[in-house]
Amino acid sequence: MVISNKTIAAIGTDAVSEAMRQINPDVVAAYPITPQTAIVETFSQMVADGLVKTHFVAVESEHSAMSAAIGAASSGARVMTCTSSQGLAYMWELLYIASGLRLPIVMPNVNRSLSAPINIHCDHGDSMGARDTGWIQLFSENGQEAYDNTIQAARIAEHPDILLPAMVLMDGFIISHSIDRVDILEDEVVSKFVGEYKPAFSLLDAENPVSIGTFDGLYGYFFEFKRQQEEAMVNAFKVIKDVGKEFGEISGRPYDLFETVGMEDAEYAIIVLGSACGTVRHQVEEMRSRGIKIGMIKLRVFRPFPAKELAEVLSGLKAVAVFDRSDTFAGHLGGPVFLEVRSSLYDLPKRPLIVNYVYGLGGRDLSIELIDKAVGELAEIASSGQVKQLVNYLGLRE
Amino acid sequence: MKSMPDSWRRETKPHKFCPGCGHGLVLKALGMAMDRLKIADRTVFGVDIGCSLLAWDFFNADTIQTHHGRTVPVIIGAKRARPNLVGIAYMGDGGGYAIGSQHLINATMRNDRILIIIVNNTIYAMTGGQMAPTTLKGQKTETSSRGRDPKYEGFPLRGPEMVASFAPEGAYVARGSVSHVQRLARYLERGLENQLQDRGISVVEALSTCPTNWRTNAEDTWKFLEKEMTDYYPVGELVSPFKRDTQKEAADLETCH
């Protein structure tokens, strides 16, 4: 088919609003929070201007936003909301209810650090806090990917083998408030790609009344429900790959669980997600041009976590550095990405050495110099075969 | 009137609010009330999320940053732990009437001995001017670009009237305005006195201005405050445990600025 994209200059939040308009959800309920607010504003303007048929509910809190989203999704509607940081934290109990009820709500979350002290800038502490809530999590490197991931998230979440809510992550300010070149698909192409949402059950099906989420006590099926959620996450690997491939056919931009740079001959590598991928890729490519055998893995899908595929790619390496934009406060055990990667490598017959770099908390910049510092240490680990410090804090004033 | 109340922290002035913002006047009125009662050294001042947080270093008083809508329970916690403290919960209409409205209701029900100050500028200002519970009918905001439509978005919330409707014995409820700073200071002083006398909860709303997000010049800003806002949100004491004012005191209060 002929691929037709319209190129625009847009800040990340506007790119996401545009994707939301094209998806045309039945209901959007949201509450303003920096730096997500621009999505709500632009989208509510689109509603007011009649550019989208969505019912927009300006609720009084994120707790109510997710509650309204759950109510609407239980009624068979295609539903979206969006938030950041404290807003996501305030949705906490509802996140589990949305996934437990298997409601395919799609939610862009503009990554921002969690209080205290209060800070409005980017880190991944908010969405990493929600990593075990049963939501699919897709990370974006830039505005283009935030747009693309939002459209794909609708298809992934609503797939009958999955039926799980999905979060689209984008770094606060770095992506949300930076103008970037974004290729936008035709409305009809997106509309056809996401298709019509036909829920198997809904509250408004008067012919077949159902009760949703009711008490399921000690002798009920709670355990089985949870096991099924996990099964849906397993199914998601294939669906995310299929949807990413199909999206490539309509856009020229195929997606996978993760992306690699120079891994064919790399001796050591960096694993990173979010907007930092751009800076790391730049530096990795520069180093490779000087003959340094370094590679990079850009992790796109954090939930489900592609442990098997990652282990395959990492198996021949001497050393791996995992970059984390949040911490787990587990007593120097490392950031959440590090924990997952380290665990993924456990069954390999010959494991690469592994080191963790926590960076960029509260929006602190990840400079080229800091990447160079980490790569220097990584090269030292690869040659000496020793990890002196397992968890390192990159760019910390100390 | 002193240009700067003694309870203000002078090295943090000029303050951080936008030009034309009403917060400085509300905090001036509060500073005057704190000076009169000489309580700065035993006050714990809680600021919410929103523009109110810019007051984090405004006073020579212990200040705590709370999370959105939770300033009331945080201050209640401090007050219950140390009843001799003077607890002030300072927030906007978003924190007070939207995300934290449950606390306003439950704190009033329990008659917690704190002063709650809700600054009403009819919008969410910190995030750039979205519709709030207090946005007036027909008022255009970033999320009500054709004007607030009561059919879908309801009518503006009159917070003090809501609190007054079930205020327990000993509660003090009033609405002042930054257009009458002396009067607002008097209401805040009474609210604090009410707490010092261990009578009950005090809730004072302050009508305020936001030219940045209203996109108004000085004249239109003041007109919106004194006409449109004050018409819908009448200024005055709604519930007071104090002995009725003498006619002269009441007249003074009516006319003072």
Side-chain angles (χ1 to χ4, degrees):
Chain A
M1 74 176 277
V2 181
I3 293 168
S4 172
N5 280 305
K6 182 176 73 175
T7 303
I8 59 166
I11 55 171
T13 50
D14 279 357
V16 169
S17 308
E18 185 65 5
M20 288 170 69
R21 181 189 66 74
Q22 293 181 316
I23 292 167
N24 194 14
D26 300 306
V27 174
V28 168
Y31 185 72
I33 181 166
T34 304
Q36 163 271 116
T37 310
I39 298 178
V40 187
E41 273 183 14
T42 306
F43 191 76
S44 61
Q45 183 72 51
M46 288 167 168
V47 173
D49 291 345
L51 299 173
V52 64
K53 291 185 182 138
T54 306
H55 288 274
F56 178 78
V57 197
V59 286
E60 74 281 8
S61 73
E62 290 85 358
H63 197 273
S64 308
M66 187 50 73
S67 298
I70 288 169
S74 303
S75 307
R78 176 178 274 160
V79 184
M80 296 181 76
T81 179
C82 46
T83 193
S84 282
S85 180
Q86 304 297 124
L88 182 65
Y90 195 27
M91 288 177 176
W92 181 247
E93 62 171 325
L94 292 325
L95 295 176
Y96 286 90
I97 294 171
S99 59
L101 294 178
R102 308 295 294 273
L103 302 172
I105 297 163
V106 172
M107 173 166 67
N109 177 68
V110 184
N111 283 115
R112 164 185 149 181
S113 53
L114 288 168
S115 292
I118 183 171
N119 179 309
I120 57 170
H121 295 282
C122 174
D123 68 38
H124 298 154
D126 54 354
S127 51
M128 286 303 172
R131 72 193 158 157
D132 300 340
T133 56
W135 283 61
I136 286 166
Q137 294 189 322
L138 308 175
F139 277 84
S140 318
E141 180 184 333
N142 48 38
Q144 180 71 64
E145 291 193 1
Y147 169 83
D148 293 347
N149 278 337
T150 304
I151 294 168
Q152 291 173 71
R155 269 287 297 280
I156 296 164
E158 292 169 8
H159 193 285
D161 291 345
I162 298 187
L163 289 174
L164 288 176
M167 245 177 246
V168 175
L169 292 326
M170 58 194 288
D171 287 357
F173 293 103
I174 305 164
I175 298 176
S176 69
H177 286 58
S178 301
I179 292 187
D180 207 349
R181 180 203 143 108
V182 183
D183 287 340
I184 302 288
L185 294 162
E186 304 278 350
D187 286 2
E188 313 81 73
V189 174
V190 175
S191 180
K192 197 164 156 237
F193 181 79
V194 296
E196 197 187 333
Y197 173 48
K198 289 181 191 146
F201 304 99
S202 91
L203 286 173
L204 296 184
D205 185 358
E207 302 287 312
N208 302 291
V210 291
S211 299
I212 293 180
T214 50
F215 180 70
D216 179 65
L218 192 56
Y219 304 105
Y221 290 93
F222 185 89
F223 201 166
E224 287 70 26
F225 287 137
K226 296 298 128 184
R227 179 66 185 85
Q228 285 180 351
Q229 275 178 247
E230 171 59 15
E231 197 57 30
M233 273 294 177
V234 173
N235 295 342
F237 288 117
K238 181 177 183 309
V239 173
I240 293 170
K241 282 164 90 86
D242 289 350
V243 169
K245 200 172 153 211
E246 198 185 319
F247 188 80
E249 285 161 15
I250 61 161
S251 66
R253 299 183 295 276
Y255 283 81
D256 209 327
L257 302 172
F258 53 83
E259 180 190 313
T260 61
V261 178
M263 290 305 291
E264 57 286 350
D265 65 348
E267 291 180 356
Y268 45 91
I270 294 175
I271 300 181
V272 59
L273 41 70
S275 64
C277 293
T279 323
V280 172
R281 183 190 292 103
H282 169 272
Q283 204 53 1
V284 163
E285 284 174 350
E286 192 276 328
M287 287 173 180
R288 288 184 63 81
S289 73
R290 289 191 278 122
I292 299 172
K293 294 209 165 169
I294 185 168
M296 163 186 157
I297 292 172
K298 174 175 110 178
L299 198 53
R300 172 188 176 229
V301 181
F302 189 74
R303 281 293 180 268
F305 191 82
K308 203 166 132 252
E309 292 84 350
L310 267 180
E312 276 168 28
V313 177
L314 297 172
S315 63
L317 297 182
K318 288 181 180 165
V320 179
V322 181
F323 278 30
D324 263 295
R325 201 159 197 154
S326 59
D327 206 346
T328 55
F329 309 110
H332 251 41
L333 206 55
V337 187
F338 181 68
L339 295 184
E340 310 297 46
V341 175
R342 205 177 180 207
S343 163
S344 308
L345 300 177
Y346 187 81
D347 291 326
L348 284 180
K350 192 172 169 297
R351 292 188 289 268
L353 294 166
I354 191 162
V355 60
N356 189 205
Y357 288 94
V358 176
Y359 73 98
L361 302 191
R364 187 158 298 173
D365 197 26
L366 179 68
S367 65
I368 296 279
E369 291 73 27
L370 290 175
I371 295 170
D372 284 348
K373 180 174 180 282
V375 172
E377 290 170 8
L378 185 60
E380 172 65 24
I381 289 168
S383 65
S384 71
Q386 281 191 331
V387 179
K388 284 186 191 144
Q389 177 87 27
L390 188 68
V391 183
N392 303 271
Y393 292 84
L394 208 50
L396 182 76
R397 287 194 294 252
E398 49 186 343
Chain B
M1 199 194 303
K2 276 189 178 174
S3 61
M4 283 198 205
D6 293 336
S7 52
W8 277 20
R9 193 177 170 88
R10 290 183 183 224
E11 52 268 44
T12 63
K13 305 297 172 296
H15 59 61
K16 305 174 195 62
F17 297 102
C18 298
C21 172
H23 269 288
L25 291 170
V26 181
L27 294 164
K28 176 148 194 170
L30 179 59
M32 288 156 63
M34 284 164 74
D35 281 4
R36 283 180 212 150
L37 298 169
K38 298 187 171 42
I39 53 165
D41 61 350
R42 58 185 180 114
T43 291
V44 60
F45 183 66
V47 293
D48 207 75
I49 298 297
C51 296
S52 71
L53 71 79
L54 295 172
W56 76 70
D57 54 2
F58 210 93
F59 294 106
N60 285 316
D62 286 336
T63 302
I64 183 163
Q65 173 69 62
T66 73
H67 41 304
H68 202 13
R70 316 302 147 195
T71 310
V72 168
V74 169
I75 292 298
I76 288 170
K79 178 78 182 178
R80 295 260 173 151
R82 296 179 62 185
N84 289 334
L85 286 178
V86 178
I88 302 175
Y90 188 70
M91 69 206 72
D93 39 357
Y97 300 145
I99 199 165
S101 56
Q102 75 211 67
H103 305 305
L104 182 65
I105 291 165
N106 288 285
T108 304
M109 183 189 74
R110 287 190 304 265
N111 217 8
D112 276 299
R113 271 52 163 179
I114 62 166
L115 167 62
I116 300 173
I117 304 171
I118 299 162
V119 181
N120 174 2
N121 58 11
T122 72
I123 40 152
Y124 299 144
M126 179 61 98
T127 46
Q130 295 78 28
M131 185 175 61
T134 48
T135 298
L136 293 175
K137 192 177 146 191
Q139 187 181 345
K140 287 181 182 172
T141 71
E142 293 291 333
T143 48
S144 60
S145 54
R146 309 221 161 195
R148 180 178 189 157
D149 182 354
K151 190 177 166 195
Y152 297 104
E153 288 132 10
F155 285 92
L157 179 76
R158 292 188 179 104
E161 284 83 349
M162 174 183 74
V163 173
S165 71
F166 68 103
E169 197 180 327
Y172 177 80
V173 186
R175 180 189 286 115
S177 166
V178 295
S179 64
H180 294 74
V181 175
Q182 295 278 17
R183 194 165 161 189
L184 176 60
R186 186 81 181 103
Y187 292 160
L188 292 169
E189 189 184 343
R190 286 186 176 183
L192 289 166
E193 273 184 295
N194 198 38
Q195 179 179 165
L196 292 168
Q197 292 165 13
D198 198 28
R199 280 193 176 130
I201 195 163
S202 303
V203 179
V204 177
E205 182 185 280
L207 300 180
S208 183
T209 52
C210 183
T212 302
N213 286 303
W214 294 351
R215 288 142 171 84
T216 46
N217 60 22
E219 195 181 335
D220 290 342
T221 300
W222 218 243
K223 211 183 280 172
F224 187 75
L225 170 70
E226 292 208 302
K227 179 74 187 129
E228 287 168 69
M229 281 176 73
T230 313
D231 277 358
Y232 189 83
Y233 298 119
V235 171
E237 289 181 316
L238 286 91
V239 177
S240 174
F242 294 95
K243 236 175 21 189
R244 287 185 69 84
D245 298 321
T246 63
Q247 271 191 335
K248 185 177 173 308
E249 276 170 348
D252 283 351
L253 203 57
E254 277 302 306
T255 52
C256 77
H257 287 268

